[in-house]
Amino acid sequence: MKTSLVGQEFDQIDFSYLEALVTKYQLSPALAQNLVNYWEMRIKDPRDSIYHHYFEYYLFFESIQSGIILVFIYEKHTKKVLHQYGILVGAIPEIIRQTQEEIDDGSISETQSFFFHEHHFQLWRRFIRYHDHELYLCAVLPPGPLNRDKLHRLYKIFLRYYLPESLYPDRRFLEFFPSLNQEICEKTAPALQSGRAVTFTYFRFEDLNKYIVLGGESFGEFLVNGIRDEITARLKHEDSIYILSPRDYLIVSLNCEKEIMERRFYRMIFQLRSLILSYRVKYTTYKAPIRDLTFAWKDIAILE
């Protein structure tokens, strides 16, 4: 069985626990090798979501460290699977059926033994009530003592990062949009009412989660501050910058045509330490009053 992974810090993981599980007959050699093959396949694909989404990266890393074979989340009432990860995905329907039966007769427990294709596993489940959703987070692990600290961290990360983005993708943005809407409309009104141009410059950078995961929150703050400083260095007195998210930046320029902003940022390179960040930029000029930014947003922002 191969027990080394190439790529970033994954090659530093100690796989002795996986070999010990095989030696103790808690995990078959074939299943252990399938796990390693699955991990290698994902690491070798630079387009894989582990390189772009914090939750996917965290789940991947924790799975490698603790031998999680399968993890998924599903809605209790619709039995719809929202997310799945790992091998043995064929076990999902049986786990859902078994879980539902235990819910109905009141015998459900957080952990229990689980048999699938004549193999013995541990099944861990955690009920989640999130707004109007009733969900179950389920994980299949090798038999033996569970690392409950790791599973609890997985649960917390899931609540913090995955659920808000997957079930309510616009919630965090919409909470601050009304105040942003009012401020920008008030700022641009005098110029637009007098027929002077206002240009909106929208920067959307590559997903920074992969760098934040590797470098930590302090490095994430360094990236945001660095982007802000690079943009601000090219702004004039009547320009304002709004940081909408770590990757989204809006510049509002009074008495300014878009050609002026295009010249200012022409072929601009954002190099922060050894990183050269890719980005897209969009320029939109208005000469008529904007009473509600919501209706203009599709023209101003890079949404895809």
Side-chain angles (χ1 to χ4, degrees):
M1 178 180 66
K2 296 185 296 180
T3 54
S4 64
L5 297 178
V6 178
Q8 299 179 15
E9 70 267 45
F10 296 118
D11 57 356
Q12 305 299 318
I13 295 173
D14 182 4
F15 281 91
S16 59
Y17 81 92
L18 203 57
E19 295 174 336
L21 289 172
V22 173
T23 301
K24 297 175 183 178
Y25 302 102
Q26 292 177 292
L27 199 63
S28 71
L31 193 59
Q33 188 62 63
N34 286 344
L35 268 177
V36 174
N37 293 344
Y38 174 75
W39 296 332
E40 286 185 330
M41 176 188 69
R42 298 198 64 173
I43 285 176
K44 290 178 180 178
D45 184 0
R47 300 166 300 177
D48 195 285
S49 55
I50 63 174
Y51 292 111
H52 307 289
H53 298 288
Y54 179 81
F55 177 74
E56 287 280 354
Y57 178 93
Y58 179 88
L59 179 57
F60 186 76
F61 198 85
E62 286 294 300
S63 296
I64 292 178
Q65 288 187 312
S66 55
I68 293 177
I69 297 168
L70 168 69
V71 64
F72 66 95
I73 183 77
Y74 78 98
E75 289 186 305
K76 172 185 170 185
H77 297 297
T78 64
K79 300 181 177 63
K80 179 182 178 182
V81 176
L82 302 179
H83 181 88
Q84 65 186 47
Y85 166 89
I87 62 175
L88 292 185
V89 294
I92 292 176
E94 174 60 23
I95 295 172
I96 293 176
R97 184 197 63 78
Q98 182 175 316
T99 300
Q100 192 61 51
E101 286 183 356
E102 294 172 12
I103 292 172
D104 294 340
D105 62 25
S107 62
I108 191 167
S109 58
E110 185 173 88
T111 59
Q112 67 171 45
S113 296
F114 176 71
F115 291 89
F116 184 72
H117 288 179
E118 300 182 350
H119 291 284
H120 180 209
F121 304 101
Q122 279 269 65
L123 175 61
W124 175 86
R125 295 168 298 198
R126 178 67 64 88
F127 175 69
I128 301 169
R129 186 182 300 279
Y130 188 82
H131 296 283
D132 54 343
H133 297 274
E134 292 187 349
L135 311 161
Y136 270 94
L137 178 63
C138 305
V140 176
L141 302 102
L146 294 178
N147 189 325
R148 295 184 181 276
D149 288 339
K150 284 184 177 294
L151 291 171
H152 184 68
R153 284 202 304 273
L154 171 64
Y155 165 74
K156 289 295 186 182
I157 292 292
F158 182 84
L159 288 179
R160 181 176 179 183
Y161 290 97
Y162 179 78
L163 282 179
E165 184 175 338
S166 62
L167 297 178
Y168 299 96
D170 297 324
R171 177 174 297 276
R172 285 169 291 178
F173 173 76
L174 291 173
E175 286 176 350
F176 74 80
F177 194 80
S179 59
L180 181 71
N181 179 39
Q182 180 179 356
E183 179 177 339
I184 292 179
C185 288
E186 290 177 354
K187 179 183 291 290
T188 59
L192 292 173
Q193 287 171 358
S194 62
R196 291 172 289 157
V198 172
T199 294
F200 297 87
T201 304
Y202 195 102
F203 279 91
R204 185 169 179 82
F205 288 83
E206 63 180 286
D207 194 332
L208 303 179
N209 280 341
K210 53 189 173 183
Y211 305 124
I212 296 173
V213 168
L214 295 173
E217 292 186 5
S218 60
F219 187 64
E221 184 177 357
F222 162 77
L223 290 178
V224 171
N225 290 339
I227 293 172
R228 179 203 60 201
D229 292 344
E230 290 289 332
I231 293 175
T232 303
R234 302 196 178 197
L235 299 185
K236 304 299 182 183
H237 177 69
E238 290 192 300
D239 300 323
S240 301
I241 182 172
Y242 300 88
I243 301 176
L244 308 180
S245 77
R247 62 185 302 201
D248 294 278
Y249 301 76
L250 175 66
I251 303 163
V252 181
S253 304
L254 304 181
N255 309 316
C256 181
E257 297 282 354
K258 72 175 184 178
E259 290 78 12
I260 296 174
M261 300 305 291
E262 288 173 341
R263 287 196 295 270
R264 284 194 209 169
F265 294 107
Y266 180 66
R267 292 186 177 179
M268 185 173 181
I269 296 175
F270 289 85
Q271 182 169 1
L272 303 175
R273 293 184 183 170
S274 60
L275 296 177
I276 298 179
L277 301 178
S278 62
Y279 66 92
R280 289 180 293 164
V281 61
K282 182 178 181 180
Y283 305 94
T284 308
T285 296
Y286 276 84
K287 295 183 179 179
I290 300 174
R291 294 180 176 83
D292 190 339
L293 196 64
T294 305
F295 299 110
W297 197 247
K298 66 180 184 300
D299 298 320
I300 294 171
I302 299 174
L303 299 176
E304 68 279 0

